[in-house]
Amino acid sequence: MKIHLILTFLLSISAPVAHSQITPIDSLLQKLEVAPNDSVRFKIYKSLSSSYFETNRRKHYEYNEQALQLAEKNNMLMDLVYCLDNRGYYLNKEHKYGEALKSYIQAFEIAEDPQNESKTWQKLSKNQAHTNRLNALAALHHSMGHIYRSTNDPQKAIQEYKNCKVYLEMKETTGFNTADMNIGRVFYDIGMLDSALVYELEAEQVHASRNHNEFTCFVKKYLGDIYLKKGAFSLAKEYYYQGITSANEENNWSGLINLQMGLANLYLAQSEKDSCLYYAQKVYNGFNQIKGNPGKDIDQGVVYTLLYQAYQLRNQQDSTFKYLQLAFYANDSINHEKIKNLSSYQNLSFDEQVRLQKLEKEKIKFEAKIRTYALLAGLSVFLIITLILFRNNRQKQKSNIVLLSTLEDLKSTQAQLINSEKMASLGELTAGIAHEIQNPLNFVNNFSEVSNELIVEMREELDKGDIEEAKSIATDIEQNLQKINHHGKRADGIVKGMLQHSRSGSGEMELTDINALADEYLRLAYHGLRAKDQSFNAKLKTDFDASIGNIKVVQQDIGRVILNLITNAFYAVSTPKSPKGDLPYEPTVIVKTKLIKPPSGGLGVEISVTDNGNGIPQHILDKIFQPFFTTKPAGQGTGLGLSLSYDIVKSHGGTLTVESTKGEGAIFTISLPII
């Protein structure tokens, strides 16, 4: 939630203008045409941006950018901080988290320097300028809380909101504190309802002390949500209606839509179908009126979901199916965009962003990009290939032409990557693909080498005249070629699957012997690893439940999941451990299957992969299924393996979980329903 002090910070050059006295938009546009200087133009653009904050997010952003350019041009740095904060807020709402973070970092660098206090078009005394800067820092910490909440990092979000409170509780500051409201919302998001209630009630008391505040309706809404989740329906309804009254008084459209959504969910929980549909339709109509504007955590998929639930409650099948489809496609589109932007955001830590900003100021953008992305893993692969071609074929004119062409392509690709941050994840994705197809490529290489040896043996047998033995060897060669073909196609499928990470598991389901599948991948993974490292040894154990039989799965996808877990287990036991007592450490990997009865009913199958390695630290257990998160050294993993496996299992209606004890190893468990 955007803090109130942002709307007052740098709001005008002269005395602050009351909310009810804001100049009409047409009048502002007329004044803009005759504005005598940049100072006046900046003030008008800010007022236009604020006027569109509730009704047109894009225009709000465009006018803010005009103001930002004027502040930057005239070196009015504290005015620039205000515009950068507004820009970050807009980009966060658009799910462009990496770009929003860069905007806030730039604003922090300015606001943290006391020497910038006087660099503003506002006519302020020295004390007022100091207060302005502290208010700006409070606002930026508040905005950083929004970023961390949007990217599912509740602990950092709460810390940033508390940092905001620290500034606002100083005697020098004058901003109004909405941090408690947002801290309560974060606790609500993670299911800590009692903590959420404490902060929201505190926020309610603070808001009650003000005669007019645009966020009162949201405090009421969040209190209603908490009581609804607790099952206190009467209290929830009371707060929702109080919030609607406040929203109407404040002319707060997005607040009104949120409160109507709360009432729709309340009536849905009480199975009051007419009231539920009535408010669901109000939410739909209101959302369409301000579509593309600040929705205060409302996405289109949420609106469609609410409508389909309302029609489902009334048993209107056609409408239910219609909005269920719309909800599915809307949520799929939104989630795809969020995952894409989260991938970019997670690759850029706060410190890395600061480093990039400094390097850009020093005019070494090319070197910064190269150092930041390490030339990208994918480009490194192509570069190594071209260097090998250059060294081995420099005497051949044709190879020289190919080499020069490849080098030109690489230079062109590098230039595009440097000029487009959207390509920042290319190296990670390429490295992830290489990681995933390594095993099938190993199998192809191994079977090829064995086949070559068998051909030599077959020739020897033919020379001896032993036709039967030669035929037997030919049969083995034929089987090897079939396996080469199989694993080649599997590698091709893995590449396509990795490129469509969010749509994994879209193949056809077929009856599969899950025990045979697990056994095959355990054996192949082990021998594939041994082919690369003859010194590697591990004890393999299996415990397969024969009563499972064949189950319907997408064989290629589930096989990929099992292979990934087994490969990770081998990696975990490859690091030597200290022996316990007199017994030496024996690397062990165990694969088990078991027929289970899930709590939801029916039958299911459980596949577990256990290793006795060093285990996974508890503080990263909740992150290992996130895209691009990895604990492996640079160049050895991208974090796509477990993320992809998680998505595949989820698409089968199952779950992928992990248990680990430090120093004892880890257990990854796949639970699948039997269809």
Side-chain angles (χ1 to χ4, degrees):
M1 191 62 57
K2 195 164 181 61
I3 192 167
H4 182 271
L5 62 89
I6 296 174
L7 298 178
T8 57
F9 167 60
L10 295 176
L11 186 58
S12 64
I13 298 172
S14 58
V17 179
H19 182 78
S20 61
Q21 296 176 333
I22 292 177
T23 308
I25 292 174
D26 291 341
S27 176
L28 287 172
L29 292 172
Q30 292 174 359
K31 290 182 178 181
L32 184 62
E33 293 178 356
V34 296
N37 53 49
D38 284 350
S39 173
V40 175
R41 277 188 284 273
F42 174 82
K43 176 182 176 181
I44 295 173
Y45 278 130
K46 281 202 307 156
S47 297
L48 285 167
S49 177
S50 298
S51 298
Y52 281 112
F53 178 74
E54 187 69 19
T55 58
N56 191 315
R57 181 191 292 171
R58 186 63 194 177
K59 286 190 175 181
H60 162 71
Y61 171 76
E62 290 171 352
Y63 282 122
N64 180 73
E65 288 297 294
Q66 295 287 341
L68 184 147
Q69 291 174 17
L70 290 174
E72 196 167 29
K73 170 186 171 184
N74 291 275
N75 199 38
M76 293 300 179
L77 297 182
M78 291 309 299
D79 297 330
L80 179 61
V81 168
Y82 168 84
C83 297
L84 288 170
D85 198 3
N86 262 345
R87 173 196 277 177
Y89 182 76
Y90 168 84
L91 293 171
N92 182 34
K93 285 296 180 181
E94 291 293 308
H95 312 306
K96 297 178 181 178
Y97 309 122
E99 294 178 42
L101 184 60
K102 289 180 67 176
S103 183
Y104 291 140
I105 291 170
Q106 185 181 352
F108 266 116
E109 286 185 345
I110 298 170
E112 287 175 344
D113 188 351
Q115 295 183 2
N116 294 327
E117 289 180 350
S118 61
K119 297 176 181 179
T120 173
W121 271 308
Q122 293 190 94
K123 296 178 180 179
L124 303 173
S125 66
K126 185 175 181 180
N127 289 337
Q128 288 173 330
H130 179 65
T131 297
N132 239 0
R133 189 177 66 84
L134 294 181
N135 282 340
L137 285 169
L140 289 170
H141 280 293
H142 199 270
S143 297
M144 286 295 296
H146 296 335
I147 282 285
Y148 286 126
R149 184 183 170 211
S150 298
T151 53
N152 300 319
D153 197 337
Q155 291 183 345
K156 288 185 178 179
I158 291 172
Q159 185 57 52
E160 288 297 330
Y161 290 137
K162 288 183 176 179
N163 289 342
C164 169
K165 289 183 64 176
V166 170
Y167 277 98
L168 294 181
E169 288 169 0
M170 295 180 180
K171 292 182 179 179
E172 297 97 332
T173 54
T174 60
F176 176 58
N177 185 2
T178 61
D180 284 336
M181 176 181 71
N182 287 293
I183 293 173
R185 194 58 180 171
V186 175
F187 278 121
Y188 175 85
D189 291 341
I190 60 178
M192 299 178 65
L193 300 182
D194 291 335
S195 297
L197 185 59
V198 169
Y199 279 95
E200 293 299 344
L201 289 174
E202 185 175 340
E204 183 184 34
Q205 291 179 356
V206 175
H207 284 69
S209 65
R210 295 171 61 93
N211 294 328
H212 176 80
N213 176 42
E214 63 181 306
F215 296 112
T216 299
C217 62
F218 286 102
V219 175
K220 301 294 185 182
K221 198 271 179 178
Y222 296 158
L223 282 166
D225 289 346
I226 294 169
Y227 284 119
L228 175 58
K229 188 66 73 75
K230 283 176 165 286
F233 296 147
S234 59
L235 279 172
K237 182 185 294 186
E238 179 181 348
Y239 273 109
Y240 286 144
Y241 279 112
Q242 287 180 13
I244 286 175
T245 300
S246 296
N248 286 324
E249 291 174 352
E250 298 157 10
N251 197 26
N252 192 324
W253 292 4
S254 59
L256 183 61
I257 294 173
N258 272 271
L259 287 153
Q260 290 168 343
M261 175 169 282
L263 282 171
N265 284 316
L266 171 66
Y267 290 124
L268 180 66
Q270 293 179 310
S271 299
E272 293 186 24
K273 54 187 179 182
D274 292 336
S275 297
C276 177
L277 181 59
Y278 172 80
Y279 281 104
Q281 289 174 333
K282 274 186 168 293
V283 170
Y284 177 75
N285 293 333
F287 180 85
N288 284 334
Q289 288 179 350
I290 63 169
K291 192 173 183 180
N293 303 315
K296 302 292 188 277
D297 303 323
I298 296 181
D299 287 319
Q300 192 173 37
V302 176
V303 177
Y304 287 142
T305 299
L306 184 60
L307 273 170
Y308 111 71
Q309 290 173 330
Y311 281 114
Q312 186 180 47
L313 187 63
R314 295 172 62 87
N315 200 28
Q316 293 180 230
Q317 299 300 326
D318 291 344
S319 296
T320 298
F321 182 71
K322 170 187 173 181
Y323 287 106
L324 179 60
Q325 278 189 312
L326 290 172
F328 173 80
Y329 289 120
N331 286 325
D332 182 68
S333 175
I334 292 168
N335 290 336
H336 182 75
E337 186 66 19
K338 283 185 177 179
I339 290 172
K340 174 184 173 183
N341 290 317
L342 276 171
S343 298
S344 174
Y345 170 81
Q346 290 169 345
N347 283 327
L348 295 172
S349 66
F350 187 92
D351 291 337
E352 186 69 359
Q353 288 281 4
V354 172
R355 188 173 70 85
L356 284 174
Q357 294 283 339
K358 291 180 179 178
L359 291 177
E360 287 175 352
K361 289 181 179 179
E362 295 168 355
K363 305 295 184 181
I364 52 173
K365 186 175 182 180
F366 175 83
E367 290 80 2
K369 294 293 183 181
I370 296 300
R371 192 177 297 111
T372 302
Y373 301 115
L375 282 177
L376 302 171
L379 290 178
S380 298
V381 173
F382 288 114
L383 183 60
I384 291 171
I385 292 173
T386 57
L387 290 173
I388 292 173
L389 289 173
F390 178 79
R391 183 184 61 188
N392 294 338
N393 302 290
R394 59 184 179 273
Q395 301 299 328
K396 299 179 182 179
Q397 184 64 33
K398 182 178 179 180
S399 296
N400 283 337
I401 294 174
V402 173
L403 176 61
L404 291 174
S405 176
T406 304
L407 288 173
E408 289 299 319
D409 290 340
L410 280 172
K411 291 177 182 178
S412 175
T413 303
Q414 285 178 335
Q416 293 176 15
L417 290 173
I418 291 169
N419 294 325
S420 174
E421 292 187 3
K422 292 181 180 179
M423 297 294 291
S425 63
L426 176 61
E428 295 289 350
L429 184 59
T430 305
I433 294 172
H435 171 74
E436 290 297 321
I437 66 174
Q438 187 61 53
N439 282 301
L441 288 179
N442 283 340
F443 301 147
V444 170
N445 291 335
N446 292 341
F447 286 125
S448 297
E449 292 174 4
V450 173
S451 295
N452 285 333
E453 294 174 0
L454 289 174
I455 289 173
V456 173
E457 293 180 12
M458 183 172 69
R459 287 174 178 168
E460 292 176 354
E461 296 301 328
L462 287 172
D463 291 341
K464 294 177 184 179
D466 192 343
I467 302 300
E468 292 301 321
E469 183 62 26
K471 287 182 178 180
S472 175
I473 294 173
T475 300
D476 292 339
I477 294 173
E478 181 182 10
Q479 292 175 352
N480 286 351
L481 291 176
Q482 291 174 352
K483 291 177 180 177
I484 290 172
N485 180 261
H486 166 74
H487 290 293
K489 290 180 178 179
R490 185 156 66 88
D492 177 67
I494 290 172
V495 172
K496 292 177 181 177
M498 293 293 289
L499 292 177
Q500 297 178 349
H501 180 264
S502 63
R503 289 181 169 82
S504 298
S506 59
E508 295 183 1
M509 289 194 172
E510 55 184 311
L511 287 173
T512 302
D513 186 340
I514 206 71
N515 291 338
L517 188 69
D519 185 62
E520 176 190 2
Y521 279 108
L522 175 63
R523 178 173 49 81
L524 293 180
Y526 180 70
H527 290 300
L529 186 57
R530 286 274 297 163
K532 293 193 301 181
D533 183 6
Q534 291 291 332
S535 65
F536 176 77
N537 281 293
K539 185 176 182 180
L540 309 182
K541 292 183 180 181
T542 58
D543 183 7
F544 297 139
D545 188 342
S547 64
I548 294 175
N550 294 340
I551 65 171
K552 269 195 172 184
V553 295
V554 181
Q555 183 174 332
Q556 178 184 351
D557 289 349
I558 292 299
R560 193 188 317 167
V561 175
I562 296 173
L563 180 63
N564 181 267
L565 298 184
I566 293 173
T567 303
N568 287 347
F570 284 144
Y571 178 85
V573 300
S574 65
T575 303
K577 288 175 55 178
S578 301
K580 288 189 175 182
D582 297 331
L583 296 176
Y585 171 61
E586 183 178 23
T588 304
V589 174
I590 305 171
V591 180
K592 294 182 180 180
T593 62
K594 182 171 64 174
L595 194 66
I596 60 172
K597 291 185 178 181
S600 58
L603 292 175
V605 62
E606 190 174 272
I607 310 160
S608 65
V609 178
T610 306
D611 67 74
N612 65 341
N614 287 312
I616 304 171
Q618 292 296 317
H619 68 278
I620 67 170
L621 270 180
D622 59 342
K623 299 179 181 178
I624 61 172
F625 295 120
Q626 295 178 3
F628 304 103
F629 180 83
T630 180
T631 59
K632 294 180 181 178
Q636 295 188 27
T638 62
L640 283 175
L642 283 177
S643 173
L644 178 60
S645 298
Y646 184 89
D647 290 346
I648 290 173
V649 174
K650 186 176 180 181
S651 71
H652 281 72
T655 59
L656 176 58
T657 58
V658 59
E659 298 177 20
S660 180
T661 302
K662 188 175 181 181
E664 298 295 331
I667 305 174
F668 284 83
T669 304
I670 306 167
S671 298
L672 298 172
I674 294 180
I675 301 176

